[in-house]
Amino acid sequence: MEEAPLLAEIPRLRRYARALVGDRAAADDLVQDTLERAWSRRRSWQDDRPLRPWLFSIMHNLRLDQLRRPGIAPQPLDERIPEPGTRPTQSDALELADLAAALYRLPEEQRAVILLVALEDMSYDAIAQTLAIPRGTVMSRLFRGREHLRRLMAPESGVTHLRVVP
Amino acid sequence: MTPHPIHEDEFQAWADGRLPAERQAQVESYLEQHPDTRARLQAYQAQNRALQSLFQPVLEEDIPEHLQELLRPAPLLRQRFLTWPWQSAAAVLLVLSGALAGWQAHTYLPSPSLAAALPRQAAIAHAVYTPEVRHPVEVGADQETHLAAWLSKRLGAPLRPPRLGAQGFELVGGRLLPGGQGPVALFMYQDGGGQRLTLYVSGEGSGSGDTSFRFSREGDVSVFYWVDGGFGYALSGTLDKASLGTIATQVYQQLEAR
C-alpha cells in the first residue's frame, strides 16, 4: 500500500469522526490513531480491496476501545458541544444547530449508523460489515435513531404515534 | 391490495433511495394512502440532507498540520520539537520515511555513540542469552509485575515489556545487564516454535538525539534499533527483516502509547 490513497481518505475520515465524536480534537486524535493502525497493518492489506470500508472499520474498533477504556469517563451527553463548523448564512442554520444538538443525544451506536448512511452513503450490508453487526441490527438502529432524532427535532409535536404496518 | 406486507426496513430503504425496483411501486402506492408514513420518511430524507450540510464544511477544512505532516515525512525527522501528542504521529512518520526514503533518512540524523554501539551490544546479548535452556532470564514472565518494577527502578524510568502476543511471541522474562556506562534491561520473547526475540533497552541515551528506525545485521542476528527520549531500544532476532520490522513497529507503538 502506498501512502497517497491513505492520505486521500483523511477528509472523509475526519468528517465522520467529527460527526460521531462531536469534539474536534478528540475526532482528529481518532483519525490519527486510525491512520497509524492502518499503516502498521499495511502488509496484511491487499490492494484490490476497497480502502475506505477497511479504514472505517479500523476507526470503529479504535472507537470501541476508547469507549471501553476505564478511566476516560464518557462526557455527559448534554454538556457535549458539537463543533460542526456550520456556516450560518441561512435561516436554516438554526435548524442545523438543533440537529447537531439532537444528534449527540442519540446513543452512539445509533448515531454511527445514521452517519454512515447520510454522510458516507454506505450500503446497509457494508455498514453491517464495518460495524461487525448483523444487517438486522443495522436496520433497527437506523430506524430507532431516525425516529429518536425526529422526535428530538419536533418536541412540540410530542411523540408521534407509529402506525402498525400491515 | 398488497401482496406482501411492507417491512419497516423497506421504508428505510425507500427513504434512502435504495429500494429494489420491484418493490418501488407497491411502497409508493402504500405511501399514497398513508400520508403520515410518507411524512415520516420525508423527515428521514430531510435528516440526511441536513447532516450532509452540517458536516460538509469538515470536508473543506484544511487538514490539520499534524495529520498533514504525513504528506512530507522526511523533513520532520530533522526537527526535535516532537512532544506529546505529536509523538505518535512521529511513529508513523518514522515508518513512512523508512519505507519511502529507502532508509536514507539517517544520513542527516545525529549519530550519537549510543546509536552506533546499540546494535552490536544488543546482538551480543541476544547471542549469549537466547540459547540458554535453563536460565534464559533472571525473572520470568510469571512475575511480570516484579520484573517491570525491578527494571524500571534500575533504569530510572517506568518500563513495561511490550505485549507481542498478536505477533505470536510471548514474554519469557527479563534480566539486567551491564551496558557501556550503566544498566541495561533485556526482555526475551518466544514463539510457539521456540524462536526467540530480545528487546534491549538502554538508558544511556540521555545525551543522544532521537533517531529513526535503523536496521543492522550482526552475523546471524538482525537488529532493528532506535533512540527515543533518552533511551536506546534494539529488537534482535533471527527472523527475516520484514517480519522483525513489523514487530519492531509494534514495539515502538506500544512504548509510545504509554
Side-chain angles (χ1 to χ4, degrees):
Chain A
M1 188 206 299
E2 308 255 323
E3 80 287 5
L6 202 55
L7 295 169
E9 295 296 335
I10 292 179
R12 305 282 288 243
L13 291 170
R14 289 188 75 224
R15 176 176 66 169
Y16 175 67
R18 179 87 60 89
L20 184 71
V21 177
D23 175 77
R24 181 188 175 124
D28 278 345
D29 283 351
L30 185 60
V31 172
Q32 183 174 317
D33 290 350
T34 303
L35 294 170
E36 285 174 11
R37 182 168 289 190
W39 187 255
S40 74
R41 294 184 177 175
R42 68 192 181 282
R43 284 199 182 80
S44 62
W45 175 252
Q46 293 120 35
D47 279 331
D48 54 332
R49 286 162 61 200
L51 186 58
R52 189 173 297 152
W54 183 60
L55 292 173
F56 275 88
S57 67
I58 289 176
M59 183 180 276
H60 170 69
N61 288 331
L62 286 167
R63 180 63 180 159
L64 285 187
D65 288 348
Q66 279 182 357
L67 294 174
R68 285 192 200 115
R69 195 174 303 157
I72 300 180
Q75 287 175 292
L77 290 176
D78 291 340
E79 290 173 22
R80 179 152 39 181
I81 301 159
E83 293 183 62
T86 324
R87 287 170 300 196
T89 51
Q90 305 275 338
S91 59
D92 61 18
L94 195 64
E95 202 175 314
L96 289 185
D98 284 348
L99 175 70
L103 187 64
Y104 297 103
R105 295 184 65 188
L106 297 186
E108 185 161 317
E109 57 179 36
Q110 293 176 12
R111 184 160 67 243
V113 174
I114 288 179
L115 293 172
L116 289 174
V117 170
L119 300 183
E120 288 303 317
D121 198 25
M122 202 184 271
S123 76
Y124 303 142
D125 288 325
I127 294 172
Q129 261 187 327
T130 300
L131 305 182
I133 52 177
R135 185 192 152 106
T137 309
V138 171
M139 298 314 294
S140 69
R141 286 181 187 176
L142 185 61
F143 168 63
R144 281 182 288 134
R146 282 172 159 171
E147 274 304 287
H148 200 157
L149 210 50
R150 194 165 70 95
R151 279 172 295 178
L152 288 169
M153 295 292 286
E156 69 279 359
S157 66
V159 176
T160 312
H161 293 284
L162 291 177
R163 181 164 300 214
V164 176
V165 178
Chain B
M1 280 287 93
T2 56
H4 298 295
I6 299 168
H7 193 270
E8 179 58 40
D9 291 2
E10 294 182 298
F11 288 139
Q12 302 295 324
W14 183 88
D16 292 324
R18 300 175 185 189
L19 195 65
E22 66 270 19
R23 295 288 283 161
Q24 193 74 33
Q26 193 190 336
V27 173
E28 292 282 357
S29 84
Y30 177 91
L31 294 178
E32 287 294 317
Q33 294 155 36
H34 300 82
D36 49 346
T37 304
R38 181 184 286 274
R40 172 167 75 88
L41 302 188
Q42 284 169 341
Y44 299 161
Q45 292 175 327
Q47 287 174 8
N48 280 355
R49 285 193 302 271
L51 287 167
Q52 285 155 14
S53 318
L54 190 58
F55 294 104
Q56 176 64 26
V58 183
L59 283 184
E60 294 161 15
E61 277 176 17
D62 291 335
I63 297 173
E65 195 63 22
H66 68 283
L67 295 176
Q68 209 173 37
E69 267 155 11
L70 297 166
L71 290 159
R72 39 185 158 79
L76 189 67
L77 290 172
R78 272 179 287 194
Q79 299 167 18
R80 293 287 319 280
F81 63 77
L82 300 179
T83 50
W84 187 258
W86 313 134
Q87 279 178 348
S88 43
V92 171
L93 296 176
L94 292 173
V95 177
L96 273 174
S97 71
L100 301 177
W103 303 91
Q104 62 184 226
H106 70 277
T107 53
Y108 49 74
L109 284 165
S111 192
S113 57
L114 172 64
L118 198 54
R120 177 136 192 88
Q121 290 172 350
I124 292 171
H126 182 87
V128 168
Y129 290 106
T130 49
E132 279 286 334
V133 178
R134 295 187 59 187
H135 307 293
V137 295
E138 286 177 278
V139 178
D142 54 332
Q143 298 176 63
E144 190 180 328
T145 310
H146 166 63
L147 174 70
W150 170 53
L151 294 176
S152 298
K153 190 174 169 210
R154 292 307 306 271
L155 267 72
L159 200 58
R160 221 169 48 208
R163 298 189 181 282
L164 303 176
Q167 286 73 36
F169 285 87
E170 296 300 333
L171 183 70
V172 178
R175 62 167 63 242
L176 191 67
L177 298 177
Q181 288 151 33
V184 166
L186 185 75
F187 296 108
M188 191 179 296
Y189 295 83
Q190 182 170 315
D191 73 2
Q195 169 114 274
R196 285 174 171 176
L197 292 178
T198 53
L199 177 63
Y200 183 99
V201 185
S202 166
E204 298 168 324
S206 54
S208 307
D210 292 352
T211 71
S212 60
F213 270 146
R214 300 182 192 183
F215 177 76
S216 173
R217 198 178 292 278
E218 307 281 336
D220 295 341
V221 183
S222 297
V223 186
F224 270 97
Y225 62 105
W226 64 97
V227 178
D228 184 29
F231 282 82
Y233 302 91
L235 184 73
S236 309
T238 49
L239 280 69
D240 63 280
K241 182 177 173 180
S243 311
L244 192 66
T246 306
I247 300 172
T249 306
Q250 187 54 236
V251 169
Y252 183 94
Q253 287 178 344
Q254 289 192 28
L255 293 168
E256 284 298 304
R258 305 248 163 98

